[in-house]
Amino acid sequence: MSAELVSLVLLGLGYLSALFATASAVERRWIPLRLVHHPLIGVLALGVYANAWAVIGSLGVAHQRGFGYLAYYLGAAGAFVLAPVLLLPLQRMTRTHQLSSLADLFAFRFRSRWVGTCVTLLSLVAVMPLLAMQVEAMGHAIHRYTDAAPGLLSLLLCALIALFAILFGARHTHVHRRYDGLTAAIGLESLIKLVAFLALGAFALYAIFDGPGDLQRWLDGPGSAHQAQASQFDAAQWRTLLLLFFAAALLMPHMFHVTFARPLSRRTLLSAGWGLPLVLLLMALPVPLVLWAGQRMGVANDIQGAAYVIFALSDSPAVTALAFVAVLAATCGTLILSALALAGMVLNHLVLVAHPPVEHPDL
């Protein structure tokens, strides 16, 4: 077994072990509840919105469309800026009527279980490409880290992620106990993802370039040709994308799950009105820095090279490991929460509709 493969396995197991340890510590009350319920943890958990698209996809979009990649972040930021008038009324409704999913919300609003079934089916169709993108990004990251076939390792990581979702998302019946550990783990994951991606941006700025001054000189000189090749979105495309990502921040099952299924406090949602846009801004900052560094090195001349340029910034094992951790952290949370959200929707609005429970005659 190669040294790269051994280090990848250790990185993956170490990262997932950190999530397991965090969730277990919260469940066993080793961490004070005042810290677990702090708005910062909830805001970081909402950072699960920044999935593989934020680390991989945005680089490819920035290569093709320049600063058009910001639509992904601005749309979601707009949704949470409106928290006092949009999220708080939804929160009150879901709490009052015990609605734990988007399908529950629509079924309650239209007083029809078939509406919930239709929403569940549409959610499945909408989420499958998103999940496929997470697994594909993980597979590409494994391949670029080790040059090995990623199939078996990707399957192993997905199995461990599924185990985590079962242990800390589905085995408890008490709502608070079920979600405290999970929310803390997802918050830790968002923090790791943010720190890793910012570190890659700093490496690009101060190792590939010699600081902001050198970057500006390159942009004014050889870099201007790269920027001229990017075609910007027109006004109609901007509006469409902003609306799309605005809706995704609220309507995608995993985002609805982390926002409303766990009873976040009113203070947390209000804090998310400025906290989540700040997190998304910090996630967006390294994208052009990393892309420009790759263009200067000549390894980001096409969309595939640009998307995975974080693995080509340096031959240093530390930088490559940082890039792998960033991708792993970006994909795991989306896979975990999407699986939990879809499982509940399928059970309540497909399985129980097709095979309703039979009442015992003696009851």
Side-chain angles (χ1 to χ4, degrees):
M1 185 179 290
S2 66
E4 292 84 1
L5 190 58
V6 172
S7 63
L8 181 141
V9 171
L10 292 177
L11 272 176
L13 291 178
Y15 172 78
L16 292 173
S17 297
L19 296 188
F20 272 94
T22 300
S24 296
V26 170
E27 284 196 350
R28 296 177 183 181
R29 300 295 184 252
W30 294 346
I31 300 177
L33 285 179
R34 62 183 178 82
L35 295 179
V36 175
H37 294 161
H38 194 278
L40 177 61
I41 304 300
V43 170
L44 287 173
L46 290 169
V48 72
Y49 172 82
N51 52 50
W53 184 271
V55 178
I56 299 297
S58 290
L59 289 165
V61 174
H63 172 75
Q64 286 190 311
R65 298 291 188 168
F67 289 103
Y69 82 94
L70 289 171
Y72 174 78
Y73 303 93
L74 294 176
F80 281 88
V81 165
L82 297 176
V85 297
L86 182 60
L87 300 186
L88 288 181
L90 275 175
Q91 184 192 58
R92 284 195 295 269
M93 182 182 296
T94 54
R95 281 186 175 182
T96 302
H97 301 286
Q98 297 182 349
L99 309 175
S100 61
S101 70
L102 191 65
D104 290 347
L105 178 64
F106 276 86
F108 169 78
R109 172 62 182 82
F110 294 99
R111 298 296 193 271
S112 171
R113 64 180 183 180
W114 298 110
V115 172
T117 300
C118 291
V119 171
T120 300
L121 292 174
L122 289 174
S123 297
L124 283 170
V125 172
V127 169
M128 286 306 168
L130 176 67
L131 299 182
M133 182 177 70
Q134 312 309 307
V135 177
E136 181 185 19
M138 191 185 301
H140 278 290
I142 291 172
H143 175 67
R144 290 175 180 268
Y145 190 85
T146 64
D147 287 328
L152 184 59
L153 285 174
S154 296
L155 181 62
L156 175 61
L157 284 174
C158 287
L160 291 174
I161 291 169
L163 178 62
F164 180 89
I166 293 170
L167 290 177
F168 296 102
R171 63 175 177 155
H172 295 304
T173 57
H174 191 276
V175 172
H176 290 274
R177 187 168 181 182
R178 181 191 304 174
Y179 292 119
D180 282 346
L182 180 64
T183 302
I186 298 299
L188 174 64
E189 182 176 69
S190 293
L191 181 62
I192 292 173
K193 169 178 58 185
L194 179 61
V195 171
F197 204 36
L198 285 173
L200 289 170
F203 178 85
L205 181 60
Y206 291 102
I208 309 301
F209 297 102
D210 192 19
D214 185 37
L215 170 61
Q216 187 60 53
R217 286 189 293 272
W218 181 84
L219 289 174
D220 293 336
S224 59
H226 292 284
Q227 314 317 309
Q229 293 175 359
S231 58
Q232 299 294 331
F233 291 127
D234 59 34
Q237 290 172 323
W238 267 104
R239 288 193 294 269
T240 301
L241 287 172
L242 288 174
L243 182 60
L244 175 66
F245 291 123
F246 180 98
L250 300 175
L251 301 181
M252 291 302 284
H254 65 291
M255 289 303 298
F256 192 95
H257 188 82
V258 73
T259 307
F260 301 112
R262 181 195 183 277
L264 294 176
S265 67
R266 183 177 185 274
R267 180 187 172 197
T268 299
L269 276 186
L270 290 175
S271 298
W274 61 266
L276 186 63
L278 177 60
V279 171
L280 294 178
L281 171 64
L282 293 175
M283 284 295 300
L285 282 178
V287 172
L289 299 176
V290 171
L291 177 64
W292 292 334
Q295 290 173 340
R296 184 178 198 178
M297 297 170 65
V299 295
N301 295 322
D302 56 24
I303 187 170
Q304 185 74 4
Y308 292 94
V309 69
I310 55 175
F311 292 95
L313 290 177
S314 173
D315 294 330
S316 168
V319 176
T320 308
L322 197 64
F324 177 73
V325 168
V327 174
L328 185 61
T331 57
C332 281
T334 301
L335 291 172
I336 291 169
L337 289 177
S338 295
L340 290 175
L342 289 175
M345 293 169 69
V346 168
L347 176 62
N348 293 330
H349 297 281
L350 291 182
V351 176
L352 293 181
V353 169
H355 299 284
V358 179
E359 294 186 3
H360 195 280
D362 296 331
L363 296 179

